Amino acid sequence: MQDASLIPLAPLFASAAEALRNARHVCVLTGAGTSAESGIPTFRDALTGLWSKFRPEELATPEAFERDPETVWSWYEWRRELIRQAQPNAGHFALAGLARRVPRLTLVTQNVDGLHQRAGSPHVLEYHGNILRDRCTVEQIVADRSDDARAGLPRCAACGGLLRPDVVWFGEAIPDEPMLSAAAAAEDCDTFLSIGTSSLVYPAAGLAEVALRRRATVIEINPNATDLSPHADILLRGLSGQVLPVLLQQVGQ
Ligand code: BV8
């Protein structure tokens, strides 16, 4: 184990690897922590510097967009630029590798950055949407931008309607497909990995609770404790970009 800080966790790695080696269906839920080592601030950290005077609810809600679309769009454009410059990290690639190593893996992400897909993970369930897509507020479909720059705020090329980022804002429902597929996977899995999430935002945080009720082995990867920690079977306290490659290696053995 190259990273000395992980050595004390060796027995936990062994039991986690054992659970994954014997798994029939692995369900994985990821949060902002998995993209932190790619230079993307976690959600709460995204309110740093220029944005520190805002609360998430003030920027990531339909009411905020209604009230002040310019400010909301500039926050999303700022995050989009960070994401365009970012690369998937070793944790993203290890999860793509794990999907090739176990019989069945369902990857549910709260992240809107598309880095799992860029690392080669197939069929990622985008539970909170994707920040790099635009959605037309009139037709409620993913849309192209009109290149009429006079428009100021981005407009739909088809109907001229105001565009918004194709993400799920607070108070909005999770899209049916990812919501139903994620719920079915949490019900069916025998091993559940909760990675880089504070387990505070619902209904995403409820997926681990479903897996616990179904007696799945629940493994948490996070340098800090969360509301899920007291209920998890195995806690791997470390950075996902360091823990996941070691775990994948051990599953391979
Ligand atoms: C809804 C997209 C109703 C936008 C996001 C039940 C109880 C309490 C509240 C509620 C409840 N049910 C609903 C609510 C309200 C609300 C909610 O949960 N509020 C919270 C704040 C209490 N939920 C909603 O509003 C949801 N919608 O309920 O609609 C409805 C139903 C039917 C019909 C109509 C309406 C919608 C929630 C989705 C909101 N959108 N994102 C955007 O990104 O701009 S949420 C956003 O924040 C992220 O997507 C993510 O989900 C969340 C942040 O959480 P994390 O990803 O966990 O990140 P965080 O920063 O918190 O923590 C990072 C963690 O990583 C830490 O633990 C840290 O230790 C760790 N870490 C750091 N570095 C590393 C690391 N781990 C590993 N490696 C590292 N290197």
mmCIF file with all atom_site columns, all heavy atoms in Angstrom, residues 32-33 37 76 79 110 128 168 171-172 197-198 202 222-224 240, ligand 1:
data_model
loop_
_atom_site.group_PDB
_atom_site.id
_atom_site.type_symbol
_atom_site.label_atom_id
_atom_site.label_alt_id
_atom_site.label_comp_id
_atom_site.label_asym_id
_atom_site.label_entity_id
_atom_site.label_seq_id
_atom_site.pdbx_PDB_ins_code
_atom_site.Cartn_x
_atom_site.Cartn_y
_atom_site.Cartn_z
_atom_site.occupancy
_atom_site.B_iso_or_equiv
_atom_site.pdbx_formal_charge
_atom_site.auth_seq_id
_atom_site.auth_comp_id
_atom_site.auth_asym_id
_atom_site.auth_atom_id
_atom_site.pdbx_PDB_model_num
ATOM   1   N N   . ALA A 1 32  ? -19.788 15.054 -4.179  1.00 0.00 ? 32  ALA A N   1
ATOM   2   C CA  . ALA A 1 32  ? -18.789 16.049 -4.592  1.00 0.00 ? 32  ALA A CA  1
ATOM   3   C C   . ALA A 1 32  ? -17.369 15.676 -4.170  1.00 0.00 ? 32  ALA A C   1
ATOM   4   O O   . ALA A 1 32  ? -16.400 16.040 -4.845  1.00 0.00 ? 32  ALA A O   1
ATOM   5   C CB  . ALA A 1 32  ? -19.175 17.402 -4.007  1.00 0.00 ? 32  ALA A CB  1
ATOM   6   N N   . GLY A 1 33  ? -17.230 14.899 -3.096  1.00 0.00 ? 33  GLY A N   1
ATOM   7   C CA  . GLY A 1 33  ? -15.886 14.534 -2.629  1.00 0.00 ? 33  GLY A CA  1
ATOM   8   C C   . GLY A 1 33  ? -15.095 13.756 -3.668  1.00 0.00 ? 33  GLY A C   1
ATOM   9   O O   . GLY A 1 33  ? -13.877 13.873 -3.752  1.00 0.00 ? 33  GLY A O   1
ATOM   10  N N   . GLU A 1 37  ? -10.444 15.937 -5.749  1.00 0.00 ? 37  GLU A N   1
ATOM   11  C CA  . GLU A 1 37  ? -9.043  15.785 -6.175  1.00 0.00 ? 37  GLU A CA  1
ATOM   12  C C   . GLU A 1 37  ? -8.855  16.116 -7.658  1.00 0.00 ? 37  GLU A C   1
ATOM   13  O O   . GLU A 1 37  ? -7.745  16.111 -8.170  1.00 0.00 ? 37  GLU A O   1
ATOM   14  C CB  . GLU A 1 37  ? -8.547  14.374 -5.848  1.00 0.00 ? 37  GLU A CB  1
ATOM   15  C CG  . GLU A 1 37  ? -8.431  14.119 -4.340  1.00 0.00 ? 37  GLU A CG  1
ATOM   16  C CD  . GLU A 1 37  ? -8.635  12.653 -4.004  1.00 0.00 ? 37  GLU A CD  1
ATOM   17  O OE1 . GLU A 1 37  ? -9.813  12.261 -3.803  1.00 0.00 ? 37  GLU A OE1 1
ATOM   18  O OE2 . GLU A 1 37  ? -7.635  11.907 -3.968  1.00 0.00 ? 37  GLU A OE2 1
ATOM   19  N N   . TYR A 1 76  ? -23.161 29.409 -12.487 1.00 0.00 ? 76  TYR A N   1
ATOM   20  C CA  . TYR A 1 76  ? -23.038 28.156 -13.249 1.00 0.00 ? 76  TYR A CA  1
ATOM   21  C C   . TYR A 1 76  ? -21.951 28.251 -14.316 1.00 0.00 ? 76  TYR A C   1
ATOM   22  O O   . TYR A 1 76  ? -21.213 27.296 -14.548 1.00 0.00 ? 76  TYR A O   1
ATOM   23  C CB  . TYR A 1 76  ? -24.397 27.748 -13.820 1.00 0.00 ? 76  TYR A CB  1
ATOM   24  C CG  . TYR A 1 76  ? -25.224 27.037 -12.766 1.00 0.00 ? 76  TYR A CG  1
ATOM   25  C CD1 . TYR A 1 76  ? -26.135 27.726 -11.980 1.00 0.00 ? 76  TYR A CD1 1
ATOM   26  C CD2 . TYR A 1 76  ? -25.029 25.686 -12.515 1.00 0.00 ? 76  TYR A CD2 1
ATOM   27  C CE1 . TYR A 1 76  ? -26.837 27.082 -10.964 1.00 0.00 ? 76  TYR A CE1 1
ATOM   28  C CE2 . TYR A 1 76  ? -25.728 25.024 -11.512 1.00 0.00 ? 76  TYR A CE2 1
ATOM   29  C CZ  . TYR A 1 76  ? -26.635 25.727 -10.737 1.00 0.00 ? 76  TYR A CZ  1
ATOM   30  O OH  . TYR A 1 76  ? -27.300 25.093 -9.720  1.00 0.00 ? 76  TYR A OH  1
ATOM   31  N N   . ARG A 1 79  ? -18.678 27.628 -12.506 1.00 0.00 ? 79  ARG A N   1
ATOM   32  C CA  . ARG A 1 79  ? -18.486 26.207 -12.224 1.00 0.00 ? 79  ARG A CA  1
ATOM   33  C C   . ARG A 1 79  ? -18.218 25.440 -13.514 1.00 0.00 ? 79  ARG A C   1
ATOM   34  O O   . ARG A 1 79  ? -17.374 24.543 -13.551 1.00 0.00 ? 79  ARG A O   1
ATOM   35  C CB  . ARG A 1 79  ? -19.710 25.645 -11.483 1.00 0.00 ? 79  ARG A CB  1
ATOM   36  C CG  . ARG A 1 79  ? -19.865 26.177 -10.064 1.00 0.00 ? 79  ARG A CG  1
ATOM   37  C CD  . ARG A 1 79  ? -21.183 25.751 -9.454  1.00 0.00 ? 79  ARG A CD  1
ATOM   38  N NE  . ARG A 1 79  ? -21.303 24.311 -9.327  1.00 0.00 ? 79  ARG A NE  1
ATOM   39  C CZ  . ARG A 1 79  ? -22.464 23.697 -9.062  1.00 0.00 ? 79  ARG A CZ  1
ATOM   40  N NH1 . ARG A 1 79  ? -23.586 24.414 -8.925  1.00 0.00 ? 79  ARG A NH1 1
ATOM   41  N NH2 . ARG A 1 79  ? -22.526 22.386 -8.961  1.00 0.00 ? 79  ARG A NH2 1
ATOM   42  N N   . GLN A 1 110 ? -24.391 12.144 -7.630  1.00 0.00 ? 110 GLN A N   1
ATOM   43  C CA  . GLN A 1 110 ? -25.021 13.427 -7.344  1.00 0.00 ? 110 GLN A CA  1
ATOM   44  C C   . GLN A 1 110 ? -24.269 14.538 -8.075  1.00 0.00 ? 110 GLN A C   1
ATOM   45  O O   . GLN A 1 110 ? -24.713 15.672 -8.105  1.00 0.00 ? 110 GLN A O   1
ATOM   46  C CB  . GLN A 1 110 ? -24.991 13.702 -5.833  1.00 0.00 ? 110 GLN A CB  1
ATOM   47  C CG  . GLN A 1 110 ? -25.748 12.700 -4.990  1.00 0.00 ? 110 GLN A CG  1
ATOM   48  C CD  . GLN A 1 110 ? -25.459 12.884 -3.507  1.00 0.00 ? 110 GLN A CD  1
ATOM   49  O OE1 . GLN A 1 110 ? -26.022 13.748 -2.854  1.00 0.00 ? 110 GLN A OE1 1
ATOM   50  N NE2 . GLN A 1 110 ? -24.529 12.095 -2.993  1.00 0.00 ? 110 GLN A NE2 1
ATOM   51  N N   . HIS A 1 128 ? -28.712 14.205 -10.247 1.00 0.00 ? 128 HIS A N   1
ATOM   52  C CA  . HIS A 1 128 ? -28.988 15.645 -10.157 1.00 0.00 ? 128 HIS A CA  1
ATOM   53  C C   . HIS A 1 128 ? -28.712 16.366 -11.478 1.00 0.00 ? 128 HIS A C   1
ATOM   54  O O   . HIS A 1 128 ? -28.531 17.588 -11.506 1.00 0.00 ? 128 HIS A O   1
ATOM   55  C CB  . HIS A 1 128 ? -28.159 16.271 -9.022  1.00 0.00 ? 128 HIS A CB  1
ATOM   56  C CG  . HIS A 1 128 ? -28.598 15.805 -7.668  1.00 0.00 ? 128 HIS A CG  1
ATOM   57  N ND1 . HIS A 1 128 ? -27.806 15.912 -6.546  1.00 0.00 ? 128 HIS A ND1 1
ATOM   58  C CD2 . HIS A 1 128 ? -29.742 15.207 -7.245  1.00 0.00 ? 128 HIS A CD2 1
ATOM   59  C CE1 . HIS A 1 128 ? -28.457 15.409 -5.497  1.00 0.00 ? 128 HIS A CE1 1
ATOM   60  N NE2 . HIS A 1 128 ? -29.614 14.986 -5.891  1.00 0.00 ? 128 HIS A NE2 1
ATOM   61  N N   . VAL A 1 168 ? -30.862 19.451 -11.323 1.00 0.00 ? 168 VAL A N   1
ATOM   62  C CA  . VAL A 1 168 ? -32.011 19.398 -10.415 1.00 0.00 ? 168 VAL A CA  1
ATOM   63  C C   . VAL A 1 168 ? -31.782 20.407 -9.303  1.00 0.00 ? 168 VAL A C   1
ATOM   64  O O   . VAL A 1 168 ? -30.806 20.292 -8.562  1.00 0.00 ? 168 VAL A O   1
ATOM   65  C CB  . VAL A 1 168 ? -32.174 17.993 -9.800  1.00 0.00 ? 168 VAL A CB  1
ATOM   66  C CG1 . VAL A 1 168 ? -33.356 17.959 -8.839  1.00 0.00 ? 168 VAL A CG1 1
ATOM   67  C CG2 . VAL A 1 168 ? -32.336 16.935 -10.887 1.00 0.00 ? 168 VAL A CG2 1
ATOM   68  N N   . GLY A 1 171 ? -35.857 21.576 -4.187  1.00 0.00 ? 171 GLY A N   1
ATOM   69  C CA  . GLY A 1 171 ? -37.304 21.722 -4.329  1.00 0.00 ? 171 GLY A CA  1
ATOM   70  C C   . GLY A 1 171 ? -37.826 21.118 -5.622  1.00 0.00 ? 171 GLY A C   1
ATOM   71  O O   . GLY A 1 171 ? -39.039 21.087 -5.861  1.00 0.00 ? 171 GLY A O   1
ATOM   72  N N   . GLU A 1 172 ? -36.921 20.635 -6.469  1.00 0.00 ? 172 GLU A N   1
ATOM   73  C CA  . GLU A 1 172 ? -37.342 20.016 -7.737  1.00 0.00 ? 172 GLU A CA  1
ATOM   74  C C   . GLU A 1 172 ? -37.206 18.495 -7.649  1.00 0.00 ? 172 GLU A C   1
ATOM   75  O O   . GLU A 1 172 ? -36.333 17.977 -6.953  1.00 0.00 ? 172 GLU A O   1
ATOM   76  C CB  . GLU A 1 172 ? -36.500 20.539 -8.903  1.00 0.00 ? 172 GLU A CB  1
ATOM   77  C CG  . GLU A 1 172 ? -36.718 22.021 -9.211  1.00 0.00 ? 172 GLU A CG  1
ATOM   78  C CD  . GLU A 1 172 ? -35.977 22.472 -10.466 1.00 0.00 ? 172 GLU A CD  1
ATOM   79  O OE1 . GLU A 1 172 ? -34.838 21.971 -10.692 1.00 0.00 ? 172 GLU A OE1 1
ATOM   80  O OE2 . GLU A 1 172 ? -36.527 23.300 -11.218 1.00 0.00 ? 172 GLU A OE2 1
ATOM   81  N N   . THR A 1 197 ? -19.641 11.681 -0.149  1.00 0.00 ? 197 THR A N   1
ATOM   82  C CA  . THR A 1 197 ? -20.874 12.430 0.040   1.00 0.00 ? 197 THR A CA  1
ATOM   83  C C   . THR A 1 197 ? -21.151 12.640 1.526   1.00 0.00 ? 197 THR A C   1
ATOM   84  O O   . THR A 1 197 ? -20.900 11.749 2.340   1.00 0.00 ? 197 THR A O   1
ATOM   85  C CB  . THR A 1 197 ? -22.089 11.758 -0.629  1.00 0.00 ? 197 THR A CB  1
ATOM   86  O OG1 . THR A 1 197 ? -23.244 12.570 -0.405  1.00 0.00 ? 197 THR A OG1 1
ATOM   87  C CG2 . THR A 1 197 ? -22.323 10.339 -0.101  1.00 0.00 ? 197 THR A CG2 1
ATOM   88  N N   . SER A 1 198 ? -21.694 13.811 1.859   1.00 0.00 ? 198 SER A N   1
ATOM   89  C CA  . SER A 1 198 ? -22.002 14.142 3.260   1.00 0.00 ? 198 SER A CA  1
ATOM   90  C C   . SER A 1 198 ? -23.313 13.486 3.688   1.00 0.00 ? 198 SER A C   1
ATOM   91  O O   . SER A 1 198 ? -23.705 13.579 4.844   1.00 0.00 ? 198 SER A O   1
ATOM   92  C CB  . SER A 1 198 ? -22.111 15.658 3.403   1.00 0.00 ? 198 SER A CB  1
ATOM   93  O OG  . SER A 1 198 ? -23.055 16.165 2.457   1.00 0.00 ? 198 SER A OG  1
ATOM   94  N N   . TYR A 1 202 ? -31.405 14.835 0.290   1.00 0.00 ? 202 TYR A N   1
ATOM   95  C CA  . TYR A 1 202 ? -32.398 13.790 -0.035  1.00 0.00 ? 202 TYR A CA  1
ATOM   96  C C   . TYR A 1 202 ? -33.086 14.102 -1.355  1.00 0.00 ? 202 TYR A C   1
ATOM   97  O O   . TYR A 1 202 ? -33.069 15.284 -1.745  1.00 0.00 ? 202 TYR A O   1
ATOM   98  C CB  . TYR A 1 202 ? -33.422 13.700 1.097   1.00 0.00 ? 202 TYR A CB  1
ATOM   99  C CG  . TYR A 1 202 ? -32.877 12.968 2.300   1.00 0.00 ? 202 TYR A CG  1
ATOM   100 C CD1 . TYR A 1 202 ? -32.001 13.603 3.176   1.00 0.00 ? 202 TYR A CD1 1
ATOM   101 C CD2 . TYR A 1 202 ? -33.182 11.637 2.522   1.00 0.00 ? 202 TYR A CD2 1
ATOM   102 C CE1 . TYR A 1 202 ? -31.457 12.925 4.255   1.00 0.00 ? 202 TYR A CE1 1
ATOM   103 C CE2 . TYR A 1 202 ? -32.651 10.944 3.594   1.00 0.00 ? 202 TYR A CE2 1
ATOM   104 C CZ  . TYR A 1 202 ? -31.786 11.605 4.460   1.00 0.00 ? 202 TYR A CZ  1
ATOM   105 O OH  . TYR A 1 202 ? -31.233 10.924 5.520   1.00 0.00 ? 202 TYR A OH  1
ATOM   106 N N   . ASN A 1 222 ? -14.749 8.167  2.848   1.00 0.00 ? 222 ASN A N   1
ATOM   107 C CA  . ASN A 1 222 ? -14.837 9.603  3.138   1.00 0.00 ? 222 ASN A CA  1
ATOM   108 C C   . ASN A 1 222 ? -13.800 9.936  4.211   1.00 0.00 ? 222 ASN A C   1
ATOM   109 O O   . ASN A 1 222 ? -13.686 9.190  5.184   1.00 0.00 ? 222 ASN A O   1
ATOM   110 C CB  . ASN A 1 222 ? -16.238 9.942  3.667   1.00 0.00 ? 222 ASN A CB  1
ATOM   111 C CG  . ASN A 1 222 ? -16.517 11.439 3.670   1.00 0.00 ? 222 ASN A CG  1
ATOM   112 O OD1 . ASN A 1 222 ? -15.685 12.223 4.099   1.00 0.00 ? 222 ASN A OD1 1
ATOM   113 N ND2 . ASN A 1 222 ? -17.685 11.813 3.182   1.00 0.00 ? 222 ASN A ND2 1
ATOM   114 N N   . PRO A 1 223 ? -13.034 11.006 4.039   1.00 0.00 ? 223 PRO A N   1
ATOM   115 C CA  . PRO A 1 223 ? -12.051 11.344 5.088   1.00 0.00 ? 223 PRO A CA  1
ATOM   116 C C   . PRO A 1 223 ? -12.727 11.811 6.372   1.00 0.00 ? 223 PRO A C   1
ATOM   117 O O   . PRO A 1 223 ? -12.095 11.820 7.432   1.00 0.00 ? 223 PRO A O   1
ATOM   118 C CB  . PRO A 1 223 ? -11.237 12.469 4.450   1.00 0.00 ? 223 PRO A CB  1
ATOM   119 C CG  . PRO A 1 223 ? -12.119 13.065 3.413   1.00 0.00 ? 223 PRO A CG  1
ATOM   120 C CD  . PRO A 1 223 ? -12.975 11.927 2.910   1.00 0.00 ? 223 PRO A CD  1
ATOM   121 N N   . ASN A 1 224 ? -13.991 12.198 6.278   1.00 0.00 ? 224 ASN A N   1
ATOM   122 C CA  . ASN A 1 224 ? -14.707 12.711 7.461   1.00 0.00 ? 224 ASN A CA  1
ATOM   123 C C   . ASN A 1 224 ? -15.937 11.868 7.767   1.00 0.00 ? 224 ASN A C   1
ATOM   124 O O   . ASN A 1 224 ? -16.454 11.167 6.890   1.00 0.00 ? 224 ASN A O   1
ATOM   125 C CB  . ASN A 1 224 ? -15.143 14.155 7.206   1.00 0.00 ? 224 ASN A CB  1
ATOM   126 C CG  . ASN A 1 224 ? -13.955 15.042 6.852   1.00 0.00 ? 224 ASN A CG  1
ATOM   127 O OD1 . ASN A 1 224 ? -12.991 15.129 7.598   1.00 0.00 ? 224 ASN A OD1 1
ATOM   128 N ND2 . ASN A 1 224 ? -13.991 15.622 5.654   1.00 0.00 ? 224 ASN A ND2 1
ATOM   129 N N   . SER A 1 240 ? -10.928 9.534  -1.771  1.00 0.00 ? 240 SER A N   1
ATOM   130 C CA  . SER A 1 240 ? -11.370 8.505  -2.731  1.00 0.00 ? 240 SER A CA  1
ATOM   131 C C   . SER A 1 240 ? -10.344 8.287  -3.841  1.00 0.00 ? 240 SER A C   1
ATOM   132 O O   . SER A 1 240 ? -10.180 7.162  -4.320  1.00 0.00 ? 240 SER A O   1
ATOM   133 C CB  . SER A 1 240 ? -12.716 8.900  -3.339  1.00 0.00 ? 240 SER A CB  1
ATOM   134 O OG  . SER A 1 240 ? -12.651 10.189 -3.889  1.00 0.00 ? 240 SER A OG  1
HETATM 135 C C1  . BV8 B 2 .   ? -36.851 17.501 -3.560  1.00 0.00 ? 1   BV8 B C1  1
HETATM 136 C C2  . BV8 B 2 .   ? -27.597 19.977 -8.463  1.00 0.00 ? 1   BV8 B C2  1
HETATM 137 C C3  . BV8 B 2 .   ? -39.220 17.533 -3.677  1.00 0.00 ? 1   BV8 B C3  1
HETATM 138 C C4  . BV8 B 2 .   ? -27.485 21.446 -8.608  1.00 0.00 ? 1   BV8 B C4  1
HETATM 139 C C5  . BV8 B 2 .   ? -28.081 19.446 -6.124  1.00 0.00 ? 1   BV8 B C5  1
HETATM 140 C C6  . BV8 B 2 .   ? -35.670 15.125 3.662   1.00 0.00 ? 1   BV8 B C6  1
HETATM 141 C C7  . BV8 B 2 .   ? -35.015 15.612 4.752   1.00 0.00 ? 1   BV8 B C7  1
HETATM 142 C C8  . BV8 B 2 .   ? -34.463 16.933 4.707   1.00 0.00 ? 1   BV8 B C8  1
HETATM 143 C C9  . BV8 B 2 .   ? -34.539 17.737 3.547   1.00 0.00 ? 1   BV8 B C9  1
HETATM 144 C C10 . BV8 B 2 .   ? -35.181 17.233 2.471   1.00 0.00 ? 1   BV8 B C10 1
HETATM 145 C C11 . BV8 B 2 .   ? -35.755 15.946 2.531   1.00 0.00 ? 1   BV8 B C11 1
HETATM 146 N N1  . BV8 B 2 .   ? -36.316 15.712 1.326   1.00 0.00 ? 1   BV8 B N1  1
HETATM 147 C C12 . BV8 B 2 .   ? -36.131 16.815 0.515   1.00 0.00 ? 1   BV8 B C12 1
HETATM 148 C C13 . BV8 B 2 .   ? -35.446 17.755 1.208   1.00 0.00 ? 1   BV8 B C13 1
HETATM 149 C C14 . BV8 B 2 .   ? -35.039 19.040 0.685   1.00 0.00 ? 1   BV8 B C14 1
HETATM 150 C C15 . BV8 B 2 .   ? -33.733 18.987 -0.119  1.00 0.00 ? 1   BV8 B C15 1
HETATM 151 C C16 . BV8 B 2 .   ? -32.592 18.571 0.772   1.00 0.00 ? 1   BV8 B C16 1
HETATM 152 O O1  . BV8 B 2 .   ? -32.199 17.419 0.820   1.00 0.00 ? 1   BV8 B O1  1
HETATM 153 N N2  . BV8 B 2 .   ? -32.053 19.583 1.468   1.00 0.00 ? 1   BV8 B N2  1
HETATM 154 C C17 . BV8 B 2 .   ? -30.860 19.321 2.325   1.00 0.00 ? 1   BV8 B C17 1
HETATM 155 C C18 . BV8 B 2 .   ? -29.914 20.505 2.143   1.00 0.00 ? 1   BV8 B C18 1
HETATM 156 C C19 . BV8 B 2 .   ? -31.237 19.163 3.754   1.00 0.00 ? 1   BV8 B C19 1
HETATM 157 N N3  . BV8 B 2 .   ? -33.819 18.077 -1.267  1.00 0.00 ? 1   BV8 B N3  1
HETATM 158 C C20 . BV8 B 2 .   ? -34.331 18.590 -2.417  1.00 0.00 ? 1   BV8 B C20 1
HETATM 159 O O2  . BV8 B 2 .   ? -34.692 19.735 -2.553  1.00 0.00 ? 1   BV8 B O2  1
HETATM 160 C C21 . BV8 B 2 .   ? -34.442 17.613 -3.582  1.00 0.00 ? 1   BV8 B C21 1
HETATM 161 N N4  . BV8 B 2 .   ? -35.715 17.763 -4.236  1.00 0.00 ? 1   BV8 B N4  1
HETATM 162 O O3  . BV8 B 2 .   ? -36.873 17.073 -2.443  1.00 0.00 ? 1   BV8 B O3  1
HETATM 163 O O4  . BV8 B 2 .   ? -37.959 17.793 -4.316  1.00 0.00 ? 1   BV8 B O4  1
HETATM 164 C C22 . BV8 B 2 .   ? -40.125 17.222 -4.775  1.00 0.00 ? 1   BV8 B C22 1
HETATM 165 C C23 . BV8 B 2 .   ? -40.523 15.901 -4.915  1.00 0.00 ? 1   BV8 B C23 1
HETATM 166 C C24 . BV8 B 2 .   ? -41.437 15.600 -5.933  1.00 0.00 ? 1   BV8 B C24 1
HETATM 167 C C25 . BV8 B 2 .   ? -41.888 16.609 -6.794  1.00 0.00 ? 1   BV8 B C25 1
HETATM 168 C C26 . BV8 B 2 .   ? -41.417 17.936 -6.643  1.00 0.00 ? 1   BV8 B C26 1
HETATM 169 C C27 . BV8 B 2 .   ? -40.497 18.241 -5.642  1.00 0.00 ? 1   BV8 B C27 1
HETATM 170 C C28 . BV8 B 2 .   ? -33.393 17.941 -4.689  1.00 0.00 ? 1   BV8 B C28 1
HETATM 171 C C29 . BV8 B 2 .   ? -32.012 17.906 -4.166  1.00 0.00 ? 1   BV8 B C29 1
HETATM 172 C C30 . BV8 B 2 .   ? -31.009 18.135 -5.334  1.00 0.00 ? 1   BV8 B C30 1
HETATM 173 C C31 . BV8 B 2 .   ? -30.416 19.529 -5.286  1.00 0.00 ? 1   BV8 B C31 1
HETATM 174 N N5  . BV8 B 2 .   ? -29.376 19.665 -6.322  1.00 0.00 ? 1   BV8 B N5  1
HETATM 175 N N6  . BV8 B 2 .   ? -27.173 19.572 -7.126  1.00 0.00 ? 1   BV8 B N6  1
HETATM 176 C C32 . BV8 B 2 .   ? -26.059 21.939 -8.611  1.00 0.00 ? 1   BV8 B C32 1
HETATM 177 O O5  . BV8 B 2 .   ? -25.128 21.130 -8.430  1.00 0.00 ? 1   BV8 B O5  1
HETATM 178 O O6  . BV8 B 2 .   ? -25.898 23.131 -8.821  1.00 0.00 ? 1   BV8 B O6  1
HETATM 179 S S1  . BV8 B 2 .   ? -27.573 18.949 -4.568  1.00 0.00 ? 1   BV8 B S1  1
HETATM 180 C C33 . BV8 B 2 .   ? -25.860 19.230 -4.535  1.00 0.00 ? 1   BV8 B C33 1
HETATM 181 O O7  . BV8 B 2 .   ? -25.543 19.253 -3.174  1.00 0.00 ? 1   BV8 B O7  1
HETATM 182 C C34 . BV8 B 2 .   ? -25.014 18.121 -5.097  1.00 0.00 ? 1   BV8 B C34 1
HETATM 183 O O8  . BV8 B 2 .   ? -25.529 17.549 -6.260  1.00 0.00 ? 1   BV8 B O8  1
HETATM 184 C C35 . BV8 B 2 .   ? -25.011 17.114 -3.951  1.00 0.00 ? 1   BV8 B C35 1
HETATM 185 O O9  . BV8 B 2 .   ? -26.100 16.292 -4.017  1.00 0.00 ? 1   BV8 B O9  1
HETATM 186 C C36 . BV8 B 2 .   ? -25.204 17.979 -2.747  1.00 0.00 ? 1   BV8 B C36 1
HETATM 187 C C37 . BV8 B 2 .   ? -23.908 18.115 -2.040  1.00 0.00 ? 1   BV8 B C37 1
HETATM 188 O O10 . BV8 B 2 .   ? -23.738 16.984 -1.296  1.00 0.00 ? 1   BV8 B O10 1
HETATM 189 P P1  . BV8 B 2 .   ? -22.368 16.149 -1.466  1.00 0.00 ? 1   BV8 B P1  1
HETATM 190 O O11 . BV8 B 2 .   ? -22.186 15.757 -2.879  1.00 0.00 ? 1   BV8 B O11 1
HETATM 191 O O12 . BV8 B 2 .   ? -22.437 15.128 -0.436  1.00 0.00 ? 1   BV8 B O12 1
HETATM 192 O O13 . BV8 B 2 .   ? -21.226 17.244 -1.190  1.00 0.00 ? 1   BV8 B O13 1
HETATM 193 P P2  . BV8 B 2 .   ? -20.870 18.002 0.172   1.00 0.00 ? 1   BV8 B P2  1
HETATM 194 O O14 . BV8 B 2 .   ? -20.122 19.180 -0.254  1.00 0.00 ? 1   BV8 B O14 1
HETATM 195 O O15 . BV8 B 2 .   ? -22.059 18.148 1.032   1.00 0.00 ? 1   BV8 B O15 1
HETATM 196 O O16 . BV8 B 2 .   ? -19.906 16.956 0.948   1.00 0.00 ? 1   BV8 B O16 1
HETATM 197 C C38 . BV8 B 2 .   ? -18.719 16.530 0.348   1.00 0.00 ? 1   BV8 B C38 1
HETATM 198 C C39 . BV8 B 2 .   ? -18.291 15.276 1.119   1.00 0.00 ? 1   BV8 B C39 1
HETATM 199 O O17 . BV8 B 2 .   ? -17.111 14.765 0.502   1.00 0.00 ? 1   BV8 B O17 1
HETATM 200 C C40 . BV8 B 2 .   ? -17.944 15.570 2.583   1.00 0.00 ? 1   BV8 B C40 1
HETATM 201 O O18 . BV8 B 2 .   ? -18.514 14.550 3.411   1.00 0.00 ? 1   BV8 B O18 1
HETATM 202 C C41 . BV8 B 2 .   ? -16.403 15.491 2.604   1.00 0.00 ? 1   BV8 B C41 1
HETATM 203 O O19 . BV8 B 2 .   ? -15.940 14.979 3.843   1.00 0.00 ? 1   BV8 B O19 1
HETATM 204 C C42 . BV8 B 2 .   ? -16.134 14.507 1.490   1.00 0.00 ? 1   BV8 B C42 1
HETATM 205 N N7  . BV8 B 2 .   ? -14.832 14.648 0.813   1.00 0.00 ? 1   BV8 B N7  1
HETATM 206 C C43 . BV8 B 2 .   ? -14.121 15.796 0.591   1.00 0.00 ? 1   BV8 B C43 1
HETATM 207 N N8  . BV8 B 2 .   ? -12.993 15.487 -0.145  1.00 0.00 ? 1   BV8 B N8  1
HETATM 208 C C44 . BV8 B 2 .   ? -13.028 14.145 -0.390  1.00 0.00 ? 1   BV8 B C44 1
HETATM 209 C C45 . BV8 B 2 .   ? -14.216 13.609 0.211   1.00 0.00 ? 1   BV8 B C45 1
HETATM 210 N N9  . BV8 B 2 .   ? -14.541 12.299 0.136   1.00 0.00 ? 1   BV8 B N9  1
HETATM 211 C C46 . BV8 B 2 .   ? -13.673 11.461 -0.539  1.00 0.00 ? 1   BV8 B C46 1
HETATM 212 N N10 . BV8 B 2 .   ? -12.542 11.923 -1.155  1.00 0.00 ? 1   BV8 B N10 1
HETATM 213 C C47 . BV8 B 2 .   ? -12.178 13.237 -1.087  1.00 0.00 ? 1   BV8 B C47 1
HETATM 214 N N11 . BV8 B 2 .   ? -11.064 13.653 -1.703  1.00 0.00 ? 1   BV8 B N11 1
#
